[in-house]
Amino acid sequence: MKTELKTSTVESLLGVLSLRPMSGYEMRQFMEYSTGNFWRESFGQIYPALKRMVTAGLVTVEEQKGDGHPAKKVYRMTEAGAEHLRGWLGIAAKPQVPRNELLLKVFFGDRAEAGAIAMQVREWKAKEEVNLQRYERTLSEIETKFAAHPGMPFWRMTARYGIAQAKALIGWCEATLEEMQGVGSREQGVESGGCGDEC
Amino acid sequence: MKTELKTSTVESLLGVLSLRPMSGYEMRQFMEYSTGNFWRESFGQIYPALKRMVTAGLVTVEEQKGDGHPAKKVYRMTEAGAEHLRGWLGIAAKPQVPRNELLLKVFFGDRAEAGAIAMQVREWKAKEEVNLQRYERTLSEIETKFAAHPGMPFWRMTARYGIAQAKALIGWCEATLEEMQGVGSREQGVESGGCGDEC
DNA sequence: ACAGCCATGTAAACCGTTACATGATTCG
DNA sequence: CGAATCATGTAACGGTTTACATGGCTGT
């Protein structure tokens, strides 16, 4: 029934518009502080997408000018848009190609200068600890400020996801750092990159 | 000192070549079963990158033909290549833009058909459980088959990362599913996508 | 014979960010 | 008056996947 979906820019914008009518500029701002930890769109994606969405009848536009601000185009989701969003919410998310540069560096850790990888793991741990605190603040903010909103339980779930993930990563960093104490990548000996006959 | 790095295709190939000389085809195969869970490259990236790497003096090529197989180009890392790899391993990994489509759907969960999101969380949990088992098999395989390899401790760390992550996600899925029992997205009432004045 | 793997490469399409261009308003 | 923010849009660039083109060898 649906033609193959390749990306979710349109759907993420519909999701935001399902909360209230907004301009493209506001949509980006909204995403930045709400879904910013797991989804964001840039203007280069948003404006062309909105144009297509109008053509497809998923949204309507209304220009607001002359009320003090610069001209603003307010988009409003149509019933067709709501249906499109519902349909998208019902189908499984496409699995994403995994790419984790830090893990790649860890994997080749014995090729690195001694201590180089451990330092990065420490830095990453510090960053995740900051993230964890932020997620926890976000969680309590969601619970207090949007207690009455029907979306609140779902927003809370996404915040808890961040918390669970951050905690797991911090734990992994600690275990990894402990193990790296006894390993010592390429202190001596392994000097040539020319590759002997290991493997 | 280093000119700005934009991507890590070249470095990932150097990492693989630091283990032993290989053809482009073999590099992809190797990545698929070793770093496949957090890093992979496609032929469309690999072959052009190898060409550039030869020009830059990071690797040398040697054509092997007439030994039964189709012609094969075996690449070997140079000392300059090893140095480049070491340099890259020493600098911090660029933070990646987060994109998690499932979380985006959870966030807009109250706009979905009742049960639609819960079903996806269940499916995701099942998938992560399969992953977890796979990571655990990988871990014991690494420990037994490569016990003597200097890279082993690092490979083991990446496997443990997968295990830690999978466990955290399974836990989150369970908590989320339990909570969704009491929520019930848009059973009745919220019919219009036209957006009232919530928010 | 045909499928499937080995092996290399190119071209097109797509996705996405960043920079640029423009201009109004607001606040210090 | 200048900087920051509001606001919309386009162009260029770069990264990545997918499909295509080619062909030999291996096993059933």
Side-chain angles (χ1 to χ4, degrees), chain A residues 23-25 29 47 51 70-73 99:
Chain A
S23 70
Y25 190 87
Q29 271 190 152
Y47 288 120
K51 203 176 264 187
K72 179 198 285 195
K73 291 184 178 178
R99 282 213 142 180

Side-chain angles (χ1 to χ4, degrees), chain A residues 16-144:
Chain A
V16 174
L17 286 179
S18 81
L19 300 174
R20 59 185 163 83
M22 249 182 266
S23 70
Y25 190 87
E26 288 171 309
M27 288 179 223
R28 183 166 184 266
Q29 271 190 152
F30 180 86
M31 281 192 182
E32 214 61 29
Y33 105 100
S34 63
T35 66
N37 293 310
F38 51 87
W39 200 272
R40 50 182 70 176
E41 299 284 352
S42 60
F43 289 131
Q45 297 269 97
I46 291 173
Y47 288 120
L50 285 170
K51 203 176 264 187
R52 278 180 276 128
M53 288 159 77
V54 172
T55 309
L58 302 174
V59 296
T60 56
V61 216
E62 198 185 339
E63 201 141 353
Q64 274 183 4
K65 32 183 156 181
D67 56 340
H69 323 284
K72 179 198 285 195
K73 291 184 178 178
V74 176
Y75 293 85
R76 189 179 299 266
M77 187 167 70
T78 64
E79 183 48 46
E83 189 147 341
H84 183 95
L85 176 61
R86 261 195 311 275
W88 176 77
L89 286 169
I91 63 172
K94 290 175 300 302
Q96 51 214 338
V97 185
R99 282 213 142 180
N100 187 325
E101 201 180 310
L102 179 65
L103 276 194
L104 188 63
K105 293 193 185 200
V106 170
F107 189 85
F108 295 120
D110 77 304
R111 266 39 186 173
E113 226 83 50
I117 304 297
M119 189 171 65
Q120 288 185 56
V121 173
R122 260 193 304 276
E123 275 165 19
W124 207 35
K125 187 192 160 203
K127 211 156 69 177
E128 282 303 321
E129 277 163 346
V130 172
N131 280 345
L132 177 57
Q133 285 184 7
R134 191 164 46 84
Y135 294 148
E136 269 161 354
R137 267 200 313 277
T138 302
L139 178 59
S140 68
E141 210 179 290
I142 288 170
E143 285 172 335
T144 55

